[in-house]
Amino acid sequence: MPSTPLLTAPLNSTKMPPGIPYIVGNEAAERFSFYGMRAILVVFMTQYLRNAAGTLAPMSENDAGKWFHIFVASNYFFPIFGALLADSLWGKYRTIFWLSIVYCFGHFALAMSDTRLGLALGLGLIAVGSGGIKPCVSANVGDQFGASNQHLVSRAFGWFYFSINAGSFFSILLIPYLLEHYGSTVAFAVPGILMAIATVVFALGRTRFVHVPPRGRAFLNEVLTREGFKSLLWIGGIFVFVAVFWSLWDQSGGEWVLQANKMDLHFLGITWLPSQIQAVNAILILTFIPLFQYVVYPAIDRIFPLTPLRKIGLGLVVTGFSFFISAWIETQLRAGLKPSIGFQLPAYALLTAGEIMVSITALEFAYTQAPKAMKSILMAVYLLAISAGDAFTALVHVFIERPDGSLRINGPTYYLFYALLSIVAAGVFACFAGFYKEKTVLQDEGLPAVPDAVPVA
């Protein structure tokens, strides 16, 4: 039978590329699996974790927070290796496919054992699998576009981000319920099943994708050019400030869950689980994406030109203000009022607004600013910024704990520290970003398709 040809460059078309629906479907299922597991991780470590003898042996809140951020940091550290593998040897398609299988085994390891060994094995495999595919999936979105349909890039990344939050919304509501009523085996197995579905959906799009071939040794030569080094230096510098945003944002899955556990969880006629309130972020994302695209950004743009870098700076300020609300909640908890979980909603609204301005913008920025041969590696640099943000938070947890287990910084002071950190970072970022010259670099169009036998992505 003749081989099915695979595209190695975008088609000359003004329409949305045919591979985008498969990428979006894959991302929705993969994010369901990741955020569902992530939503219950701190609760599992502090309430369900057992030792080898089967006896309950939970972690302290500070330890759980520390290990939660170490795990998240690992997920965003491994992309540097996934990017190198994709751009130099395997290509994006094969890297995503094979590491997705590793990812699946991680979920099922968590489902099979509720001990620290099962936790370490499962989270390790998930970090390698998830981390390895992260730079390739988002870069694969950009690879589908050429000059004739580049006007659709922002829309595609918007749908891509929409799929992330659609998947996370349903999983954050469902998986904590499964943990509460059916235990950790079922709660971790369901994300594993969704990850397997994500892998199948991605494989079905194989002949629809543009497969940019790996460049072998030529990749390293291009990275080490003056242009490559300059791109790494400038974009890496910008993403140092993006790391500050992620240091704050990822606390919504750790510290804010622990805070919610101390609040009045009866709200809107429903008694919520502490992990479920994170679903508010996904709802707000789905609402805010069109709101910002069609209302907020045009309104700001009429006052002063709203470049991508200015969006990131504003997002850092808004994110900082969300932590002032968290600090106020802590003052109420200290005073013996047990505030309603509804008071976390304004904090989530500000955090989500910051996410729209920082995360979506930086995701597209990482692709469009990268030289053609460095799309995955620059996406990995963006993800490395997320890793650095979580590593910083984990180090804060280590630093604030005294030898006797008490904390040097806690309560309102803890949240005020992060609020001020984000706002000060925004000020410094404004000075740094003023020297950067923006550009747009996309893949070439019109190159011929090649048969399956040719070693492309």
Side-chain angles (χ1 to χ4, degrees), residues 49-97:
L49 193 62
R50 296 177 181 273
N51 58 26
T55 305
L56 275 175
M59 295 183 185
S60 68
E61 288 188 356
N62 194 61
D63 274 348
K66 176 181 68 178
W67 287 109
F68 174 84
H69 288 290
I70 289 174
F71 164 68
V72 176
S74 299
N75 272 265
Y76 294 99
F77 174 76
F78 282 109
I80 196 70
F81 300 105
L84 290 170
L85 184 64
D87 282 351
S88 63
L89 295 175
W90 281 5
K92 297 181 185 70
Y93 179 85
R94 282 190 286 179
T95 301
I96 294 169
F97 179 78

mmCIF file of all heavy atoms in Angstrom, residues 49-97:
data_model
loop_
_atom_site.group_PDB
_atom_site.id
_atom_site.type_symbol
_atom_site.label_atom_id
_atom_site.label_comp_id
_atom_site.label_asym_id
_atom_site.label_seq_id
_atom_site.Cartn_x
_atom_site.Cartn_y
_atom_site.Cartn_z
ATOM 1 N N LEU A 49 -2.547 9.985 52.487
ATOM 2 C CA LEU A 49 -1.273 9.302 52.284
ATOM 3 C C LEU A 49 -1.016 8.265 53.379
ATOM 4 O O LEU A 49 -1.256 8.513 54.558
ATOM 5 C CB LEU A 49 -0.143 10.330 52.260
ATOM 6 C CG LEU A 49 1.224 9.861 51.768
ATOM 7 C CD1 LEU A 49 1.151 9.398 50.316
ATOM 8 C CD2 LEU A 49 2.237 10.988 51.896
ATOM 9 N N ARG A 50 -0.544 7.089 52.992
ATOM 10 C CA ARG A 50 -0.262 5.990 53.931
ATOM 11 C C ARG A 50 1.199 5.558 53.844
ATOM 12 O O ARG A 50 1.900 5.865 52.877
ATOM 13 C CB ARG A 50 -1.165 4.779 53.622
ATOM 14 C CG ARG A 50 -2.645 5.077 53.822
ATOM 15 C CD ARG A 50 -3.522 3.898 53.446
ATOM 16 N NE ARG A 50 -4.930 4.228 53.630
ATOM 17 C CZ ARG A 50 -5.607 4.094 54.760
ATOM 18 N NH1 ARG A 50 -5.000 3.601 55.835
ATOM 19 N NH2 ARG A 50 -6.879 4.430 54.838
ATOM 20 N N ASN A 51 1.640 4.829 54.878
ATOM 21 C CA ASN A 51 2.988 4.274 54.840
ATOM 22 C C ASN A 51 2.938 2.849 54.268
ATOM 23 O O ASN A 51 1.869 2.363 53.884
ATOM 24 C CB ASN A 51 3.636 4.294 56.227
ATOM 25 C CG ASN A 51 2.827 3.518 57.265
ATOM 26 O OD1 ASN A 51 2.081 2.597 56.931
ATOM 27 N ND2 ASN A 51 2.977 3.883 58.526
ATOM 28 N N ALA A 52 4.099 2.196 54.206
ATOM 29 C CA ALA A 52 4.166 0.862 53.598
ATOM 30 C C ALA A 52 3.305 -0.159 54.327
ATOM 31 O O ALA A 52 2.849 -1.144 53.733
ATOM 32 C CB ALA A 52 5.623 0.392 53.558
ATOM 33 N N ALA A 53 3.049 0.060 55.618
ATOM 34 C CA ALA A 53 2.229 -0.863 56.396
ATOM 35 C C ALA A 53 0.732 -0.638 56.203
ATOM 36 O O ALA A 53 -0.091 -1.374 56.751
ATOM 37 C CB ALA A 53 2.587 -0.744 57.881
ATOM 38 N N GLY A 54 0.373 0.392 55.444
ATOM 39 C CA GLY A 54 -1.032 0.676 55.202
ATOM 40 C C GLY A 54 -1.665 1.604 56.214
ATOM 41 O O GLY A 54 -2.880 1.840 56.171
ATOM 42 N N THR A 55 -0.857 2.167 57.130
ATOM 43 C CA THR A 55 -1.365 3.085 58.145
ATOM 44 C C THR A 55 -1.314 4.517 57.626
ATOM 45 O O THR A 55 -0.372 4.892 56.920
ATOM 46 C CB THR A 55 -0.507 2.978 59.422
ATOM 47 O OG1 THR A 55 -0.478 1.617 59.853
ATOM 48 C CG2 THR A 55 -1.076 3.857 60.533
ATOM 49 N N LEU A 56 -2.306 5.318 57.986
ATOM 50 C CA LEU A 56 -2.306 6.721 57.579
ATOM 51 C C LEU A 56 -1.035 7.423 58.059
ATOM 52 O O LEU A 56 -0.673 7.335 59.237
ATOM 53 C CB LEU A 56 -3.530 7.441 58.141
ATOM 54 C CG LEU A 56 -4.832 7.335 57.334
ATOM 55 C CD1 LEU A 56 -5.969 8.007 58.099
ATOM 56 C CD2 LEU A 56 -4.683 7.966 55.956
ATOM 57 N N ALA A 57 -0.362 8.125 57.141
ATOM 58 C CA ALA A 57 0.872 8.849 57.475
ATOM 59 C C ALA A 57 0.941 10.121 56.649
ATOM 60 O O ALA A 57 1.810 10.286 55.785
ATOM 61 C CB ALA A 57 2.093 7.967 57.212
ATOM 62 N N PRO A 58 0.002 11.056 56.889
ATOM 63 C CA PRO A 58 -0.072 12.267 56.054
ATOM 64 C C PRO A 58 1.078 13.230 56.318
ATOM 65 O O PRO A 58 1.728 13.196 57.366
ATOM 66 C CB PRO A 58 -1.411 12.877 56.460
ATOM 67 C CG PRO A 58 -1.637 12.412 57.861
ATOM 68 C CD PRO A 58 -1.048 11.030 57.929
ATOM 69 N N MET A 59 1.295 14.130 55.360
ATOM 70 C CA MET A 59 2.301 15.181 55.491
ATOM 71 C C MET A 59 1.707 16.378 56.227
ATOM 72 O O MET A 59 0.494 16.548 56.285
ATOM 73 C CB MET A 59 2.767 15.662 54.109
ATOM 74 C CG MET A 59 3.496 14.650 53.274
ATOM 75 S SD MET A 59 4.036 15.428 51.706
ATOM 76 C CE MET A 59 4.720 13.993 50.858
ATOM 77 N N SER A 60 2.591 17.232 56.780
ATOM 78 C CA SER A 60 2.138 18.511 57.328
ATOM 79 C C SER A 60 1.767 19.438 56.172
ATOM 80 O O SER A 60 2.129 19.197 55.019
ATOM 81 C CB SER A 60 3.251 19.158 58.152
ATOM 82 O OG SER A 60 4.323 19.569 57.300
ATOM 83 N N GLU A 61 1.031 20.509 56.457
ATOM 84 C CA GLU A 61 0.630 21.440 55.416
ATOM 85 C C GLU A 61 1.833 22.083 54.734
ATOM 86 O O GLU A 61 1.864 22.248 53.518
ATOM 87 C CB GLU A 61 -0.284 22.528 55.990
ATOM 88 C CG GLU A 61 -1.679 22.025 56.349
ATOM 89 C CD GLU A 61 -2.612 23.154 56.730
ATOM 90 O OE1 GLU A 61 -2.149 24.327 56.778
ATOM 91 O OE2 GLU A 61 -3.797 22.890 56.973
ATOM 92 N N ASN A 62 2.849 22.444 55.521
ATOM 93 C CA ASN A 62 4.029 23.083 54.935
ATOM 94 C C ASN A 62 4.792 22.115 54.048
ATOM 95 O O ASN A 62 5.242 22.477 52.955
ATOM 96 C CB ASN A 62 4.945 23.629 56.031
ATOM 97 C CG ASN A 62 6.003 24.580 55.474
ATOM 98 O OD1 ASN A 62 5.693 25.608 54.898
ATOM 99 N ND2 ASN A 62 7.271 24.209 55.629
ATOM 100 N N ASP A 63 4.929 20.848 54.485
ATOM 101 C CA ASP A 63 5.601 19.843 53.667
ATOM 102 C C ASP A 63 4.833 19.571 52.382
ATOM 103 O O ASP A 63 5.415 19.435 51.300
ATOM 104 C CB ASP A 63 5.767 18.536 54.446
ATOM 105 C CG ASP A 63 7.028 18.515 55.292
ATOM 106 O OD1 ASP A 63 7.873 19.413 55.103
ATOM 107 O OD2 ASP A 63 7.171 17.616 56.134
ATOM 108 N N ALA A 64 3.508 19.476 52.505
ATOM 109 C CA ALA A 64 2.688 19.232 51.321
ATOM 110 C C ALA A 64 2.821 20.381 50.327
ATOM 111 O O ALA A 64 2.936 20.158 49.115
ATOM 112 C CB ALA A 64 1.223 19.037 51.719
ATOM 113 N N GLY A 65 2.807 21.616 50.841
ATOM 114 C CA GLY A 65 2.998 22.768 49.960
ATOM 115 C C GLY A 65 4.346 22.737 49.273
ATOM 116 O O GLY A 65 4.467 23.018 48.077
ATOM 117 N N LYS A 66 5.378 22.370 50.036
ATOM 118 C CA LYS A 66 6.735 22.301 49.474
ATOM 119 C C LYS A 66 6.810 21.263 48.353
ATOM 120 O O LYS A 66 7.280 21.551 47.244
ATOM 121 C CB LYS A 66 7.728 21.953 50.584
ATOM 122 C CG LYS A 66 9.165 21.747 50.102
ATOM 123 C CD LYS A 66 10.078 21.376 51.259
ATOM 124 C CE LYS A 66 9.742 19.991 51.816
ATOM 125 N NZ LYS A 66 10.633 19.588 52.914
ATOM 126 N N TRP A 67 6.324 20.034 48.611
ATOM 127 C CA TRP A 67 6.408 18.977 47.617
ATOM 128 C C TRP A 67 5.475 19.208 46.440
ATOM 129 O O TRP A 67 5.789 18.819 45.302
ATOM 130 C CB TRP A 67 6.142 17.611 48.260
ATOM 131 C CG TRP A 67 7.296 17.172 49.113
ATOM 132 C CD1 TRP A 67 7.363 17.095 50.464
ATOM 133 C CD2 TRP A 67 8.595 16.799 48.637
ATOM 134 N NE1 TRP A 67 8.608 16.689 50.872
ATOM 135 C CE2 TRP A 67 9.385 16.493 49.772
ATOM 136 C CE3 TRP A 67 9.173 16.680 47.367
ATOM 137 C CZ2 TRP A 67 10.713 16.082 49.665
ATOM 138 C CZ3 TRP A 67 10.492 16.272 47.258
ATOM 139 C CH2 TRP A 67 11.248 15.982 48.402
ATOM 140 N N PHE A 68 4.354 19.871 46.687
ATOM 141 C CA PHE A 68 3.466 20.235 45.585
ATOM 142 C C PHE A 68 4.202 21.133 44.593
ATOM 143 O O PHE A 68 4.161 20.911 43.378
ATOM 144 C CB PHE A 68 2.225 20.957 46.129
ATOM 145 C CG PHE A 68 1.316 21.512 45.062
ATOM 146 C CD1 PHE A 68 0.366 20.713 44.456
ATOM 147 C CD2 PHE A 68 1.420 22.844 44.667
ATOM 148 C CE1 PHE A 68 -0.470 21.227 43.463
ATOM 149 C CE2 PHE A 68 0.589 23.367 43.685
ATOM 150 C CZ PHE A 68 -0.356 22.547 43.078
ATOM 151 N N HIS A 69 4.895 22.145 45.102
ATOM 152 C CA HIS A 69 5.593 23.071 44.209
ATOM 153 C C HIS A 69 6.839 22.447 43.588
ATOM 154 O O HIS A 69 7.205 22.795 42.456
ATOM 155 C CB HIS A 69 5.923 24.365 44.952
ATOM 156 C CG HIS A 69 4.720 25.204 45.225
ATOM 157 N ND1 HIS A 69 4.030 25.861 44.234
ATOM 158 C CD2 HIS A 69 4.045 25.462 46.388
ATOM 159 C CE1 HIS A 69 2.994 26.502 44.768
ATOM 160 N NE2 HIS A 69 2.989 26.277 46.060
ATOM 161 N N ILE A 70 7.482 21.518 44.282
ATOM 162 C CA ILE A 70 8.606 20.792 43.672
ATOM 163 C C ILE A 70 8.108 19.962 42.492
ATOM 164 O O ILE A 70 8.742 19.920 41.424
ATOM 165 C CB ILE A 70 9.304 19.901 44.719
ATOM 166 C CG1 ILE A 70 10.077 20.771 45.716
ATOM 167 C CG2 ILE A 70 10.240 18.893 44.045
ATOM 168 C CD1 ILE A 70 10.677 20.004 46.871
ATOM 169 N N PHE A 71 6.949 19.307 42.667
ATOM 170 C CA PHE A 71 6.370 18.522 41.571
ATOM 171 C C PHE A 71 6.021 19.408 40.385
ATOM 172 O O PHE A 71 6.355 19.099 39.237
ATOM 173 C CB PHE A 71 5.125 17.773 42.058
ATOM 174 C CG PHE A 71 4.266 17.258 40.946
ATOM 175 C CD1 PHE A 71 4.712 16.242 40.113
ATOM 176 C CD2 PHE A 71 2.995 17.792 40.724
ATOM 177 C CE1 PHE A 71 3.917 15.771 39.069
ATOM 178 C CE2 PHE A 71 2.197 17.327 39.689
ATOM 179 C CZ PHE A 71 2.662 16.313 38.860
ATOM 180 N N VAL A 72 5.345 20.518 40.636
ATOM 181 C CA VAL A 72 4.963 21.416 39.542
ATOM 182 C C VAL A 72 6.215 21.975 38.864
ATOM 183 O O VAL A 72 6.282 22.064 37.630
ATOM 184 C CB VAL A 72 4.050 22.549 40.044
ATOM 185 C CG1 VAL A 72 3.740 23.523 38.918
ATOM 186 C CG2 VAL A 72 2.754 21.982 40.619
ATOM 187 N N ALA A 73 7.212 22.337 39.658
ATOM 188 C CA ALA A 73 8.467 22.835 39.085
ATOM 189 C C ALA A 73 9.107 21.792 38.178
ATOM 190 O O ALA A 73 9.638 22.119 37.105
ATOM 191 C CB ALA A 73 9.432 23.236 40.200
ATOM 192 N N SER A 74 9.055 20.523 38.581
ATOM 193 C CA SER A 74 9.625 19.439 37.766
ATOM 194 C C SER A 74 8.896 19.319 36.433
ATOM 195 O O SER A 74 9.516 19.077 35.388
ATOM 196 C CB SER A 74 9.539 18.110 38.519
ATOM 197 O OG SER A 74 10.267 18.160 39.729
ATOM 198 N N ASN A 75 7.567 19.470 36.458
ATOM 199 C CA ASN A 75 6.787 19.408 35.221
ATOM 200 C C ASN A 75 7.232 20.448 34.216
ATOM 201 O O ASN A 75 7.111 20.237 33.005
ATOM 202 C CB ASN A 75 5.297 19.634 35.535
ATOM 203 C CG ASN A 75 4.576 18.366 35.868
ATOM 204 O OD1 ASN A 75 3.953 17.748 35.002
ATOM 205 N ND2 ASN A 75 4.662 17.946 37.121
ATOM 206 N N TYR A 76 7.703 21.579 34.704
ATOM 207 C CA TYR A 76 8.091 22.661 33.808
ATOM 208 C C TYR A 76 9.602 22.779 33.637
ATOM 209 O O TYR A 76 10.076 23.654 32.907
ATOM 210 C CB TYR A 76 7.485 23.971 34.305
ATOM 211 C CG TYR A 76 5.975 23.951 34.222
ATOM 212 C CD1 TYR A 76 5.201 23.678 35.347
ATOM 213 C CD2 TYR A 76 5.329 24.166 33.015
ATOM 214 C CE1 TYR A 76 3.813 23.626 35.264
ATOM 215 C CE2 TYR A 76 3.947 24.125 32.928
ATOM 216 C CZ TYR A 76 3.198 23.853 34.053
ATOM 217 O OH TYR A 76 1.829 23.805 33.954
ATOM 218 N N PHE A 77 10.345 21.880 34.309
ATOM 219 C CA PHE A 77 11.789 21.806 34.093
ATOM 220 C C PHE A 77 12.127 20.826 32.969
ATOM 221 O O PHE A 77 12.980 21.099 32.117
ATOM 222 C CB PHE A 77 12.502 21.383 35.378
ATOM 223 C CG PHE A 77 13.978 21.149 35.209
ATOM 224 C CD1 PHE A 77 14.850 22.217 35.104
ATOM 225 C CD2 PHE A 77 14.495 19.862 35.127
ATOM 226 C CE1 PHE A 77 16.218 22.015 34.926
ATOM 227 C CE2 PHE A 77 15.852 19.643 34.954
ATOM 228 C CZ PHE A 77 16.714 20.726 34.857
ATOM 229 N N PHE A 78 11.432 19.682 32.943
ATOM 230 C CA PHE A 78 11.711 18.657 31.934
ATOM 231 C C PHE A 78 11.436 19.095 30.496
ATOM 232 O O PHE A 78 11.980 18.484 29.566
ATOM 233 C CB PHE A 78 10.945 17.370 32.259
ATOM 234 C CG PHE A 78 11.581 16.569 33.344
ATOM 235 C CD1 PHE A 78 11.002 16.469 34.596
ATOM 236 C CD2 PHE A 78 12.784 15.909 33.131
ATOM 237 C CE1 PHE A 78 11.592 15.746 35.616
ATOM 238 C CE2 PHE A 78 13.395 15.174 34.136
ATOM 239 C CZ PHE A 78 12.800 15.087 35.384
ATOM 240 N N PRO A 79 10.601 20.123 30.240
ATOM 241 C CA PRO A 79 10.429 20.548 28.853
ATOM 242 C C PRO A 79 11.711 20.908 28.120
ATOM 243 O O PRO A 79 11.762 20.801 26.897
ATOM 244 C CB PRO A 79 9.524 21.780 28.988
ATOM 245 C CG PRO A 79 8.665 21.464 30.151
ATOM 246 C CD PRO A 79 9.584 20.767 31.112
ATOM 247 N N ILE A 80 12.747 21.315 28.835
ATOM 248 C CA ILE A 80 13.990 21.649 28.150
ATOM 249 C C ILE A 80 14.546 20.416 27.441
ATOM 250 O O ILE A 80 15.085 20.480 26.336
ATOM 251 C CB ILE A 80 15.028 22.262 29.133
ATOM 252 C CG1 ILE A 80 16.144 22.959 28.364
ATOM 253 C CG2 ILE A 80 15.579 21.237 30.082
ATOM 254 C CD1 ILE A 80 15.732 24.214 27.682
ATOM 255 N N PHE A 81 14.362 19.227 28.067
ATOM 256 C CA PHE A 81 14.831 17.979 27.453
ATOM 257 C C PHE A 81 13.885 17.520 26.349
ATOM 258 O O PHE A 81 14.325 16.996 25.316
ATOM 259 C CB PHE A 81 14.983 16.901 28.525
ATOM 260 C CG PHE A 81 15.963 17.270 29.604
ATOM 261 C CD1 PHE A 81 15.523 17.653 30.867
ATOM 262 C CD2 PHE A 81 17.326 17.258 29.354
ATOM 263 C CE1 PHE A 81 16.420 18.003 31.865
ATOM 264 C CE2 PHE A 81 18.237 17.609 30.342
ATOM 265 C CZ PHE A 81 17.779 17.990 31.597
ATOM 266 N N GLY A 82 12.574 17.719 26.559
ATOM 267 C CA GLY A 82 11.614 17.386 25.518
ATOM 268 C C GLY A 82 11.834 18.217 24.266
ATOM 269 O O GLY A 82 11.726 17.713 23.140
ATOM 270 N N ALA A 83 12.152 19.483 24.456
ATOM 271 C CA ALA A 83 12.398 20.367 23.311
ATOM 272 C C ALA A 83 13.652 19.953 22.549
ATOM 273 O O ALA A 83 13.669 19.929 21.313
ATOM 274 C CB ALA A 83 12.524 21.804 23.793
ATOM 275 N N LEU A 84 14.718 19.633 23.269
ATOM 276 C CA LEU A 84 15.947 19.183 22.617
ATOM 277 C C LEU A 84 15.712 17.892 21.843
ATOM 278 O O LEU A 84 16.184 17.729 20.713
ATOM 279 C CB LEU A 84 17.050 18.986 23.661
ATOM 280 C CG LEU A 84 17.610 20.252 24.313
ATOM 281 C CD1 LEU A 84 18.515 19.901 25.488
ATOM 282 C CD2 LEU A 84 18.379 21.088 23.287
ATOM 283 N N LEU A 85 14.954 16.974 22.438
ATOM 284 C CA LEU A 85 14.644 15.705 21.790
ATOM 285 C C LEU A 85 13.830 15.928 20.511
ATOM 286 O O LEU A 85 14.097 15.326 19.470
ATOM 287 C CB LEU A 85 13.869 14.809 22.765
ATOM 288 C CG LEU A 85 13.537 13.387 22.307
ATOM 289 C CD1 LEU A 85 14.808 12.577 22.091
ATOM 290 C CD2 LEU A 85 12.646 12.706 23.335
ATOM 291 N N ALA A 86 12.839 16.821 20.598
ATOM 292 C CA ALA A 86 11.958 17.073 19.454
ATOM 293 C C ALA A 86 12.671 17.804 18.329
ATOM 294 O O ALA A 86 12.564 17.428 17.155
ATOM 295 C CB ALA A 86 10.735 17.875 19.909
ATOM 296 N N ASP A 87 13.405 18.851 18.659
ATOM 297 C CA ASP A 87 14.000 19.686 17.616
ATOM 298 C C ASP A 87 15.245 19.068 16.982
ATOM 299 O O ASP A 87 15.583 19.393 15.842
ATOM 300 C CB ASP A 87 14.355 21.062 18.186
ATOM 301 C CG ASP A 87 13.129 21.960 18.311
ATOM 302 O OD1 ASP A 87 12.061 21.567 17.806
ATOM 303 O OD2 ASP A 87 13.234 23.035 18.920
ATOM 304 N N SER A 88 15.914 18.177 17.713
ATOM 305 C CA SER A 88 17.156 17.635 17.165
ATOM 306 C C SER A 88 17.046 16.193 16.676
ATOM 307 O O SER A 88 17.741 15.805 15.735
ATOM 308 C CB SER A 88 18.277 17.721 18.211
ATOM 309 O OG SER A 88 17.957 16.926 19.341
ATOM 310 N N LEU A 89 16.137 15.365 17.286
ATOM 311 C CA LEU A 89 16.123 13.939 16.954
ATOM 312 C C LEU A 89 14.764 13.418 16.492
ATOM 313 O O LEU A 89 14.618 12.944 15.370
ATOM 314 C CB LEU A 89 16.595 13.117 18.167
ATOM 315 C CG LEU A 89 18.048 13.315 18.614
ATOM 316 C CD1 LEU A 89 18.316 12.537 19.886
ATOM 317 C CD2 LEU A 89 19.000 12.871 17.502
ATOM 318 N N TRP A 90 13.758 13.461 17.353
ATOM 319 C CA TRP A 90 12.494 12.772 17.078
ATOM 320 C C TRP A 90 11.488 13.603 16.300
ATOM 321 O O TRP A 90 10.634 13.058 15.623
ATOM 322 C CB TRP A 90 11.841 12.335 18.395
ATOM 323 C CG TRP A 90 12.428 11.093 18.974
ATOM 324 C CD1 TRP A 90 13.509 10.389 18.531
ATOM 325 C CD2 TRP A 90 11.948 10.389 20.125
ATOM 326 N NE1 TRP A 90 13.743 9.301 19.336
ATOM 327 C CE2 TRP A 90 12.798 9.283 20.321
ATOM 328 C CE3 TRP A 90 10.894 10.599 21.022
ATOM 329 C CZ2 TRP A 90 12.605 8.378 21.361
ATOM 330 C CZ3 TRP A 90 10.716 9.699 22.061
ATOM 331 C CH2 TRP A 90 11.568 8.600 22.229
ATOM 332 N N GLY A 91 11.524 14.901 16.440
ATOM 333 C CA GLY A 91 10.443 15.729 15.929
ATOM 334 C C GLY A 91 9.324 15.815 16.959
ATOM 335 O O GLY A 91 9.262 15.024 17.906
ATOM 336 N N LYS A 92 8.427 16.774 16.780
ATOM 337 C CA LYS A 92 7.393 17.026 17.789
ATOM 338 C C LYS A 92 6.393 15.884 17.913
ATOM 339 O O LYS A 92 5.998 15.507 19.011
ATOM 340 C CB LYS A 92 6.678 18.341 17.485
ATOM 341 C CG LYS A 92 7.579 19.568 17.543
ATOM 342 C CD LYS A 92 6.803 20.832 17.247
ATOM 343 C CE LYS A 92 7.738 22.042 17.178
ATOM 344 N NZ LYS A 92 8.610 22.018 15.979
ATOM 345 N N TYR A 93 5.965 15.329 16.771
ATOM 346 C CA TYR A 93 4.913 14.307 16.823
ATOM 347 C C TYR A 93 5.346 13.095 17.640
ATOM 348 O O TYR A 93 4.646 12.661 18.556
ATOM 349 C CB TYR A 93 4.507 13.874 15.415
ATOM 350 C CG TYR A 93 3.444 12.796 15.442
ATOM 351 C CD1 TYR A 93 2.100 13.128 15.549
ATOM 352 C CD2 TYR A 93 3.797 11.447 15.418
ATOM 353 C CE1 TYR A 93 1.119 12.140 15.610
ATOM 354 C CE2 TYR A 93 2.835 10.456 15.479
ATOM 355 C CZ TYR A 93 1.503 10.802 15.574
ATOM 356 O OH TYR A 93 0.540 9.824 15.658
ATOM 357 N N ARG A 94 6.499 12.515 17.293
ATOM 358 C CA ARG A 94 6.931 11.312 18.002
ATOM 359 C C ARG A 94 7.258 11.588 19.467
ATOM 360 O O ARG A 94 7.007 10.745 20.336
ATOM 361 C CB ARG A 94 8.140 10.694 17.293
ATOM 362 C CG ARG A 94 7.763 9.916 16.054
ATOM 363 C CD ARG A 94 8.923 9.120 15.514
ATOM 364 N NE ARG A 94 9.900 9.987 14.853
ATOM 365 C CZ ARG A 94 11.028 9.551 14.295
ATOM 366 N NH1 ARG A 94 11.342 8.271 14.364
ATOM 367 N NH2 ARG A 94 11.848 10.377 13.701
ATOM 368 N N THR A 95 7.797 12.772 19.753
ATOM 369 C CA THR A 95 8.083 13.129 21.148
ATOM 370 C C THR A 95 6.798 13.186 21.961
ATOM 371 O O THR A 95 6.719 12.635 23.066
ATOM 372 C CB THR A 95 8.811 14.487 21.213
ATOM 373 O OG1 THR A 95 10.028 14.412 20.460
ATOM 374 C CG2 THR A 95 9.129 14.863 22.658
ATOM 375 N N ILE A 96 5.777 13.843 21.415
ATOM 376 C CA ILE A 96 4.498 13.943 22.122
ATOM 377 C C ILE A 96 3.883 12.560 22.310
ATOM 378 O O ILE A 96 3.419 12.209 23.410
ATOM 379 C CB ILE A 96 3.523 14.861 21.354
ATOM 380 C CG1 ILE A 96 4.042 16.305 21.355
ATOM 381 C CG2 ILE A 96 2.125 14.807 21.957
ATOM 382 C CD1 ILE A 96 3.296 17.223 20.402
ATOM 383 N N PHE A 97 3.875 11.762 21.262
ATOM 384 C CA PHE A 97 3.205 10.458 21.325
ATOM 385 C C PHE A 97 3.836 9.529 22.364
ATOM 386 O O PHE A 97 3.155 8.976 23.232
ATOM 387 C CB PHE A 97 3.212 9.791 19.949
ATOM 388 C CG PHE A 97 2.557 8.437 19.934
ATOM 389 C CD1 PHE A 97 1.177 8.321 19.927
ATOM 390 C CD2 PHE A 97 3.325 7.272 19.956
ATOM 391 C CE1 PHE A 97 0.569 7.078 19.931
ATOM 392 C CE2 PHE A 97 2.732 6.021 19.967
ATOM 393 C CZ PHE A 97 1.341 5.923 19.954
#
